[in-house]
Amino acid sequence: MSDAFTTRVLNVATGSSEAIVDLTRDCEAFLREAAAGRDGLLNVFVPHATAGIAIIETGAGSDDDLLAALHSLLPADDRWQHRHGSPGHGRDHVLPAIVPPHATLPVLGGSLELGTWQSVCLVDTIRDNPDRRVRLSFLG
């Protein structure tokens, strides 16, 4: 594989409750090695049918607000056709239509080009799968 394209998989433990996990530091660490000062694109992809990637502010309540909004939009009840797993699990399979399983971000001079309060986050509403993989790919 050329140095124009580099990829790595992160293993992320999300636990047994809904979670928003900030991946920004992991992305920055990956770019220090992979980008090595170059411009390009970082793609963040979660290969799961029940998780997504969001660019949001964390730590000031926005992460909790996102989970509350998802509860309003996607209630964990028995309305879903997809019914295996925990009660309301069907909503978890609809999540990636609202919070996509990927994000592509600019990299300038080897650094992630985010706004002041933006973070790269894994959004995981499922309680049945506490172990997630996230693929980071840099294209220089």
Side-chain angles (χ1 to χ4, degrees):
M1 189 177 302
S2 82
D3 65 349
F5 179 80
T6 306
T7 190
R8 175 177 301 152
V9 174
L10 303 175
N11 293 305
V12 181
T14 58
S16 60
S17 60
E18 296 179 341
I20 294 181
V21 179
D22 191 337
L23 303 173
T24 308
R25 287 187 180 153
D26 295 302
C27 293
E28 291 168 341
F30 169 70
L31 289 172
R32 277 192 292 280
E33 294 176 32
R38 296 176 294 154
D39 294 349
L41 296 172
L42 173 68
N43 182 264
V44 183
F45 175 69
V46 55
H48 298 280
T50 56
I53 300 294
I55 309 300
I56 63 168
E57 177 182 5
T58 59
S62 297
D63 32 1
D64 292 332
D65 290 342
L66 176 56
L67 289 176
L70 290 172
H71 275 279
S72 294
L73 291 169
L74 304 171
D77 58 24
D78 65 356
R79 73 183 69 200
W80 308 101
Q81 298 297 313
H82 190 105
R83 292 181 186 255
H84 74 84
S86 298
H89 171 65
R91 81 178 191 119
D92 301 319
H93 286 273
V94 177
L95 173 75
I98 295 169
V99 181
H102 59 87
T104 300
L105 304 161
V107 176
L108 299 176
S111 296
L112 199 52
E113 186 70 9
L114 290 173
T116 302
W117 304 111
Q118 290 180 316
S119 296
V120 181
C121 297
L122 170 66
V123 179
D124 189 5
T125 59
I126 193 170
R127 295 177 304 275
D128 299 336
N129 185 0
D131 300 307
R132 298 300 190 158
R133 291 183 339 219
V134 178
R135 179 170 293 280
L136 305 178
S137 300
F138 174 73
L139 178 61

